[in-house]
Amino acid sequence: MEKGLFQSILPKKEDILKELSEIKELLNSDKEAALERIKYVEQQCKILNFEKGIGFCNNLYGIYYHFKDLNEKALHHYFIADNILSKSEDWQDRILAKTNIGIIYSKLDQFENCLAIYKAVEKEIELQPQSMLHAQVYVNIDAVLIRMQDFENGYKYLKKAALIVEKFDNKFGIALCYSNSISYLIQLNEFESAKQYAEKAIKICKAHKFEQLLCSILLAKAKIYFGEKNYEFAILVSDDCLKQIENHFMDDFLLQDLLKLRMNIFEANANFSEALNEAKKYIVVRDRFNNNEKLKRINELQIQFETEKKETELKELKILQQKNLIEKAESELKAIKAQMNPHFIFNALNSIQELYTIGDKKMANEQMGNFAQLTRKILDVSGKQKVDLSEEIEILTKYLELESMRFENDFSYAIDLGENIDEEYLQIPPMLIQPYVENSIKHGLLHKKGHKNIHIYFELNQEETILKCIIDDNGIGRDASTEINKKRPQSHVSFSTSATEKRLQLLNQEKKVMIAVVFEDKMDETGNALGTRVTIQVPI
């Protein structure tokens, strides 16, 4: 009886997830109360053997210690969280702790490690519907690239983030993008524009009480005045920034940047006694932040994390290897045959029937021949691991010929090869390109008004180790396509797409150089969609 009563009062997993979400909000206002709740929820998760919940708890521990400026403890818990959550089927779970690890690496000036983490996260999210998470990742990458002095690439990521935060009208994101823009404007000595962005950002931060972000923007504003050699205003603003840090967010990383700036301002203004005082404070904070023992422990944690991760992966790999040998052959066949989906067959036959109806028997017979040859060709390659590039191009040509029938006269396509391509010599997995061409037509061109065009271009990299296939369309773009797809029933999932993704994962298993697919949204200067470019990189 007692056991049954105990079980009945245990929370459900969905209740735990809801409480964890509430704790995350509480961390912003009452950190110590939040910590006690994390400990309690973690115990419940352990009793329930709720591994994902334990992962979320460790991520929240990491946030708590990050707020406390205890980077070593924060990383310890983020690593535990990532080991657990990276196995989740939900992509948002998989990137959660990684993003936070990247932030710590950035604070510790470990830029290469930080960028590697963020690039892994970027790859994880690139196929997902656009959201504020995308903006967060792009802003984080931008911040790292700024500190690496790579302003050109950093600004590209900032522009991508700015488009998203404006679209979702996210005030914090808008203020953050304004703040990051200031760094670029200071580099260009465009101080008036920088001040305008600073004022806009400060206004948003004060209205919404973004205290931590306000610290960063006040620091940026002080740098603007310093750049203008307006030392009086630079000191006044830096005073405000110092008060803000002391009252709301004691962060050694931000504080040492501010103290260094104040030291430079006083020195430039020939106030050497104050410059010396700030220099002494700066050294204390810098040494506290860069404590050798802390850094040594952080590096040890990183090595331990990577070692444990690899050991876990090796164990899992041994279990999966036997299963994958059988699954790979089945998935290869399913993925290839999935391209001949019922919708395509119906559309092709319906278009051919229309040609017969209007009396164009010659064209109808020609297209029926194309359809029969395409079907035969797909069945022929379905059992092969590799085919000549010429065969893949033949399949693409016949496929595009048939698809062009439903667009009448406002559709054109081209398939071109680089000068150093030998299509009879190069080999690739069969039907690798066609699914992405199908997506361009289905999601990009089908809903476009006016002339529709798709250009497929094959080229080798300079070392002739990678074959690139670039699929370029002038369709409506992925954002517009996503909006259209939202109106469809939630149960509508393309089997062809899921089979292709699964196949790509299997093809990349145990490969040092993997097949990569990169999506690029083409836009004009005002942010209007000009189509989509997909680049498929195949090791040869």
Side-chain angles (χ1 to χ4, degrees):
M1 187 70 180
E2 289 179 2
K3 184 179 179 182
L5 178 63
F6 175 70
Q7 288 177 335
S8 68
I9 62 172
L10 281 175
K12 295 179 181 178
K13 290 180 179 179
E14 52 265 33
D15 294 331
I16 286 177
L17 293 175
K18 184 179 178 182
E19 184 166 2
L20 287 168
S21 180
E22 292 172 359
I23 294 172
K24 188 175 180 181
E25 294 298 321
L26 184 61
L27 274 166
N28 292 314
S29 56
D30 191 341
K31 297 173 183 56
E32 300 309 319
L35 179 64
E36 292 306 311
R37 285 180 66 178
I38 297 169
K39 291 176 181 177
Y40 176 70
V41 172
E42 185 185 28
Q43 289 301 317
Q44 292 179 318
C45 290
K46 287 178 178 177
I47 293 169
L48 290 169
N49 198 25
F50 184 24
E51 191 175 22
K52 184 185 282 192
I54 295 170
F56 287 141
C57 285
N58 274 281
N59 186 66
L60 291 175
Y61 279 133
I63 295 171
Y64 170 82
Y65 287 118
H66 181 200
F67 280 150
K68 290 287 186 178
D69 209 26
L70 298 169
N71 296 315
E72 176 189 340
K73 287 190 174 182
L75 265 183
H76 170 72
H77 287 287
Y78 285 148
F79 284 152
I80 294 172
D82 191 48
N83 258 333
I84 296 171
L85 298 176
S86 61
K87 302 169 191 172
S88 172
E89 293 180 359
D90 189 330
W91 65 273
Q92 295 188 39
D93 296 345
R94 294 196 296 270
I95 70 169
L96 186 64
K98 285 184 175 67
T99 304
N100 293 329
I101 291 169
I103 292 169
I104 299 290
Y105 279 154
S106 178
K107 288 182 68 174
L108 298 172
D109 293 345
Q110 296 186 18
F111 301 131
E112 295 297 335
N113 287 337
C114 179
L115 198 57
I117 286 280
Y118 285 150
K119 288 290 185 179
V121 173
E122 183 185 18
K123 189 174 181 181
E124 188 81 60
I125 68 173
E126 65 183 3
L127 295 177
Q128 306 303 330
Q130 200 175 72
S131 67
M132 281 303 302
L133 268 173
H134 291 71
Q136 179 185 339
V137 172
Y138 296 150
V139 166
N140 287 345
I141 294 175
D142 164 53
V144 177
L145 291 171
I146 287 175
R147 298 185 66 198
M148 295 175 75
Q149 303 294 302
D150 187 352
F151 297 106
E152 183 179 351
N153 285 315
Y155 191 56
K156 289 177 184 177
Y157 278 100
L158 180 59
K159 286 197 294 185
K160 289 168 72 172
L163 287 172
I164 296 171
V165 296
E166 291 286 351
K167 174 182 173 181
F168 289 96
D169 193 29
N170 184 281
K171 300 303 182 187
F172 183 85
I174 291 169
L176 184 58
C177 286
Y178 286 158
S179 175
N180 285 18
S181 297
I182 296 168
S183 300
Y184 296 103
L185 293 168
I186 290 174
Q187 285 293 320
L188 298 170
N189 292 326
E190 295 182 12
F191 299 118
E192 283 305 316
S193 296
K195 276 190 276 189
Q196 290 174 17
Y197 275 110
E199 291 305 324
K200 289 179 183 178
I202 289 170
K203 186 177 179 181
I204 294 173
C205 288
K206 288 183 176 179
H208 297 275
K209 296 183 179 180
F210 300 146
E211 306 294 354
Q212 180 183 346
L213 182 55
L214 182 58
C215 292
S216 299
I217 297 164
L218 289 171
L219 175 57
K221 189 176 178 182
K223 288 179 180 179
I224 296 169
Y225 285 123
F226 179 61
E228 290 182 319
K229 298 183 180 179
N230 188 340
Y231 304 127
E232 182 181 352
F233 275 79
I235 285 297
L236 287 173
V237 176
S238 71
D239 285 341
D240 289 342
C241 183
L242 187 59
K243 290 174 186 175
Q244 186 75 11
I245 292 173
E246 290 172 345
N247 293 336
H248 297 284
F249 191 76
M250 182 52 72
D251 181 354
D252 281 350
F253 174 70
L254 202 61
L255 184 57
Q256 66 175 322
D257 198 5
L258 175 64
L259 292 171
K260 187 176 181 180
L261 174 66
R262 286 169 64 85
M263 176 181 70
N264 291 334
I265 296 169
F266 284 123
E267 184 180 0
N269 202 28
N271 191 340
F272 299 113
S273 61
E274 286 297 336
L276 181 61
N277 287 334
E278 297 301 312
K280 290 177 180 177
K281 294 176 189 175
Y282 167 73
I283 291 168
V284 170
V285 176
R286 184 198 62 189
D287 290 347
R288 184 170 68 209
F289 183 78
N290 294 326
N291 182 287
N292 287 331
E293 285 303 312
K294 278 188 178 181
L295 289 176
K296 183 180 176 183
R297 177 58 184 148
I298 285 168
N299 287 330
E300 288 173 354
L301 279 170
Q302 184 180 345
I303 293 167
Q304 181 184 346
F305 165 69
E306 293 295 340
T307 303
E308 289 176 357
K309 192 175 181 181
K310 285 178 181 176
E311 287 175 355
T312 303
E313 287 172 353
L314 282 171
K315 288 177 184 176
E316 291 175 350
L317 185 61
K318 287 178 182 178
I319 297 169
L320 285 172
Q321 274 177 338
Q322 289 184 332
K323 180 183 175 184
N324 284 345
L325 286 173
I326 301 168
E327 191 181 79
K328 186 171 183 178
E330 293 176 350
S331 295
E332 284 275 318
L333 190 59
K334 283 180 183 178
I336 294 171
K337 288 182 177 178
Q339 313 318 321
M340 286 297 290
N341 62 67
H343 296 290
F344 168 69
I345 293 172
F346 174 80
N347 287 334
L349 291 175
N350 194 46
S351 297
I352 293 169
Q353 185 180 30
E354 284 182 19
L355 290 173
Y356 279 114
T357 303
I358 63 175
D360 194 347
K361 292 183 179 180
K362 182 181 178 182
M363 179 61 73
N365 286 333
E366 188 178 315
Q367 295 298 352
M368 182 60 80
N370 271 340
F371 182 78
Q373 289 175 36
L374 177 62
T375 307
R376 192 182 304 116
K377 200 72 184 172
I378 289 173
L379 292 173
D380 182 45
V381 303
S382 64
K384 297 180 180 179
Q385 294 296 313
K386 294 280 183 74
V387 295
D388 293 342
L389 180 59
S390 58
E391 281 191 88
E392 185 80 354
I393 291 172
E394 184 183 350
I395 288 172
L396 286 173
T397 303
K398 294 190 183 302
Y399 169 75
L400 285 164
E401 276 291 316
L402 290 165
E403 284 283 35
S404 66
M405 288 190 294
R406 65 164 138 167
F407 293 110
E408 298 179 355
N409 298 319
D410 63 349
F411 172 77
S412 62
Y413 69 88
I415 302 176
D416 294 316
L417 301 174
E419 291 180 4
N420 56 346
I421 298 259
D422 183 348
E423 59 184 308
E424 302 296 335
Y425 171 75
L426 292 174
Q427 289 194 322
I428 63 173
M431 295 292 287
L432 182 67
I433 312 299
Q434 188 271 346
Y436 300 99
V437 176
E438 180 183 339
N439 271 343
S440 286
I441 293 171
K442 182 178 176 183
H443 300 295
L445 299 178
L446 195 59
H447 302 286
K448 177 182 171 61
K449 295 179 181 179
H451 187 76
K452 306 161 183 66
N453 175 260
I454 188 166
H455 181 217
I456 304 168
Y457 181 69
F458 293 91
E459 65 179 11
L460 287 170
N461 67 342
Q462 192 171 1
E463 296 79 17
E464 297 193 353
T465 56
I466 301 288
L467 174 67
K468 291 183 182 180
C469 174
I470 297 104
I471 303 164
D472 205 321
D473 69 58
N474 68 337
I476 61 174
R478 291 194 295 167
D479 284 350
S481 177
T482 300
E483 290 302 314
I484 291 171
N485 288 332
K486 282 180 182 177
K487 298 173 184 177
R488 295 182 177 184
Q490 288 294 317
S491 59
H492 176 80
V493 178
S494 169
F495 172 73
S496 174
T497 301
S498 60
T500 301
E501 290 175 358
K502 180 64 175 176
R503 182 188 181 207
L504 199 60
Q505 291 173 10
L506 291 168
L507 286 171
N508 281 332
Q509 276 185 5
E510 300 177 34
K511 297 290 192 304
K512 289 184 179 179
V513 183
M514 297 185 289
I515 298 171
V517 182
V518 179
F519 293 83
E520 180 185 348
D521 298 309
K522 301 189 299 179
M523 294 183 179
D524 62 18
E525 294 177 354
T526 58
N528 295 316
L530 296 176
T532 305
R533 183 179 293 114
V534 182
T535 302
I536 305 166
Q537 301 184 49
V538 187
I540 57 173

